[in-house]
């Protein structure tokens, strides 16, 4: 069973349905995913691509794509043909060709084809490596050597994928790795800000449903900074789940309604179909 394709409700979907928790920027997500891979996947080098190419504008990318469509070894005639095909103003041609020549063309084409890889700059890759080395030197690294790495759990309506699970005959301990900028002492604020309390509670609920005869230990986060040379933090969620349960229950109701009515699972579809209107807040 493919985790991505499974239609069950995930933690990220709960956040998108309820608008609870800030979003992590794409660079932070890429660095965090890279750290996860380097610690849990022996083939991680096949899934990461490091490049220092600057991001291209939409017009530059369109021009390069057209050049590549015409020829894998472009020359001045190819550039002119691409320029003509796209009906770009003539004054732009010299700038576009200069951009193309200053770009590592074949590196760009390689990067463009890496749809399933994590693409990082050299600096960001080094930040990920810095975090990984801190974890390997910490007293918590044993979790990665003894635990079950990135197990997938499914019910009929839900899915979860913790980074690590420590399981024995009587108990299950879910663990998730978090990366952050700055000092890990600031993580308790991020715990609420990014909605990690929702992840903790939702994973615990799913595991309790799947394993009613086992003790589900408090959800644990291992937190490592990618920018500061401080220790790895072990953070255990001991918060009251009452309010978080209300958020999760609302997300379950919205998700179930969309699925039962063959709708796309999102807030707009839910409000439009159920209430025949879309709140102004959804349009801003």
């Amino acid at each position: 069973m493919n985790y991505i394709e499974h239609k069950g409700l995930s933690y990220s979907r709960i956040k998108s349905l309820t608008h609870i928790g800030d979003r992590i920027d794409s660079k932070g997500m890429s660095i965090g995913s890279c750290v996860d891979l380097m610690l849990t996947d022996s083939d991680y080098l096949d899934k990461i691509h490091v490049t220092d190419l600057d991001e291209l504008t939409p017009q530059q990318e369109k021009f390069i794509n057209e050049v590549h469509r015409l020829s894998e070894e472009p020359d001045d005639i190819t550039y002119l043909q691409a320029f003509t095909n796209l009906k770009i103003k003539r004054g732009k041609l010299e700038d576009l060709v200069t951009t193309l020549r200053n770009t590592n063309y074949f590196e760009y084409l390689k990067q463009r084809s890496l749809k399933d890889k994590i693409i990082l700059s050299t600096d960001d890759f080094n930040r990920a490596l810095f975090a990984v080395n801190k974890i390997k030197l910490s007293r918590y690294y044993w979790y990665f050597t003894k635990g079950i790495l990135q197990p997938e759990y499914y019910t009929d309506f839900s899915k979860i994928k913790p980074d690590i699970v420590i399981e024995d005959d009587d108990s299950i301990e879910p663990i998730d790795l978090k990366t952050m900028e700055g000092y890990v002492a600031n993580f308790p604020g991020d715990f609420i800000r990014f909605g990690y309390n929702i992840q903790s509670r939702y994973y615990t609920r799913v595991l309790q449903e799947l394993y009613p005869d086992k003790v589900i230990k408090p959800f644990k986060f291992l937190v490592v900074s990618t920018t500061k040379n401080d220790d790895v933090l072990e953070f255990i969620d001991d918060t009251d789940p009452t309010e978080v349960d209300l958020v999760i229950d609302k997300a379950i109701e919205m998700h179930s309604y969309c699925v039962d009515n063959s709708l796309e699972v999102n807030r707009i579809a839910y409000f439009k179909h159920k209430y025949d209107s879309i709140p102004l807040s959804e349009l801003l």
Side-chain angles (χ1 to χ4, degrees):
M1 183 179 300
N2 185 295
Y3 184 83
I4 299 298
E5 294 176 356
H6 190 276
K7 301 301 183 183
L9 180 62
S10 66
Y11 155 62
S12 60
R13 181 70 72 182
I14 292 175
K15 287 185 65 176
S16 68
L17 286 172
T18 60
H19 281 187
I20 301 295
D22 290 354
R23 298 186 66 176
I24 301 172
D25 65 85
S26 58
K27 184 169 79 167
M29 287 285 289
S30 295
I31 294 173
S33 297
C34 182
V35 172
D36 275 347
L37 271 179
M38 294 169 79
L39 288 167
T40 62
D41 192 331
S42 59
D43 297 324
Y44 72 86
L45 287 176
D46 295 331
K47 301 173 183 178
I48 297 170
H49 182 68
V50 179
T51 178
D52 288 310
L53 289 183
D54 292 331
E55 186 174 346
L56 301 175
T57 67
Q59 187 179 57
Q60 290 169 341
E61 184 167 355
K62 186 181 292 185
F63 180 70
I64 289 179
N65 289 344
E66 180 64 12
V67 169
H68 175 59
R69 188 185 70 80
L70 295 170
S71 173
E72 292 189 0
E73 297 183 4
D75 54 20
D76 288 344
I77 295 176
T78 311
Y79 299 148
L80 183 59
Q81 185 63 55
F83 170 83
T84 303
N85 292 351
L86 296 175
K87 299 179 181 179
I88 299 172
K89 292 181 180 179
R90 184 162 297 278
K92 297 265 188 176
L93 176 58
E94 184 175 345
D95 290 341
L96 286 169
V97 172
T98 298
T99 297
L100 181 61
R101 285 175 171 161
N102 289 340
T103 299
N104 185 329
Y105 177 72
F106 293 103
E107 172 67 13
Y108 171 75
L109 294 178
K110 181 179 179 182
Q111 177 178 331
R112 190 164 62 91
S113 68
L114 301 177
K115 300 299 184 184
D116 297 324
K117 290 198 176 188
I118 299 171
I119 300 176
L120 295 165
S121 68
T122 300
D123 285 346
D124 290 343
F125 178 76
N126 286 336
R127 284 176 56 186
L129 190 60
F130 172 67
V132 168
N133 287 336
K134 284 203 296 181
I135 291 170
K136 288 186 174 181
L137 292 173
S138 77
R139 57 184 173 143
Y140 304 114
Y141 184 54
W142 75 269
Y143 288 126
F144 294 90
T145 60
K146 302 297 184 182
I148 305 170
L149 301 181
Q150 297 195 324
E152 299 173 4
Y153 298 95
Y154 303 93
T155 70
D156 290 339
F157 305 104
S158 60
K159 62 180 180 180
I160 62 172
K161 188 177 181 180
D163 285 330
I164 311 168
V165 159
I166 306 296
E167 183 175 0
D168 58 31
D169 292 339
D170 303 313
S171 66
I172 294 177
E173 181 179 25
I175 302 168
D176 209 68
L177 174 67
K178 298 298 181 190
T179 57
M180 62 178 290
E181 294 185 356
Y183 293 103
V184 297
N186 296 324
F187 179 76
D190 286 353
F191 177 69
I192 301 298
R193 176 188 169 197
F194 291 110
Y196 297 147
N197 54 334
I198 297 173
Q199 178 188 14
S200 170
R201 181 57 181 161
Y202 185 57
Y203 280 29
T204 299
R205 282 176 50 160
V206 172
L207 290 171
Q208 286 172 336
E209 180 181 349
L210 291 172
Y211 300 96
D213 296 328
K214 287 194 175 188
V215 174
I216 308 303
K217 292 185 177 180
F219 198 100
K220 181 180 293 183
F221 293 93
L222 298 180
V223 188
V224 60
S225 173
T226 62
T227 59
K228 301 297 183 181
N229 193 25
D230 51 1
D231 293 333
V232 177
L233 172 70
E234 181 182 63
F235 182 90
I236 297 175
D237 180 14
D238 59 358
T239 57
D240 184 344
T242 304
E243 291 188 9
V244 178
D245 278 333
L246 294 176
V247 172
I248 293 172
D249 290 341
K250 180 60 179 177
I252 291 172
E253 186 268 320
M254 296 173 75
H255 179 269
S256 298
Y257 183 89
C258 290
V259 171
D260 291 344
N261 289 279
S262 301
L263 306 174
E264 289 189 29
V265 182
N266 60 57
R267 289 172 64 90
I268 296 292
Y270 171 80
F271 284 115
K272 186 174 182 180
H273 190 275
K274 186 168 184 177
Y275 300 107
D276 198 28
S277 66
I278 301 173
L280 181 60
S281 61
E282 300 300 317
L283 302 176
L284 297 178

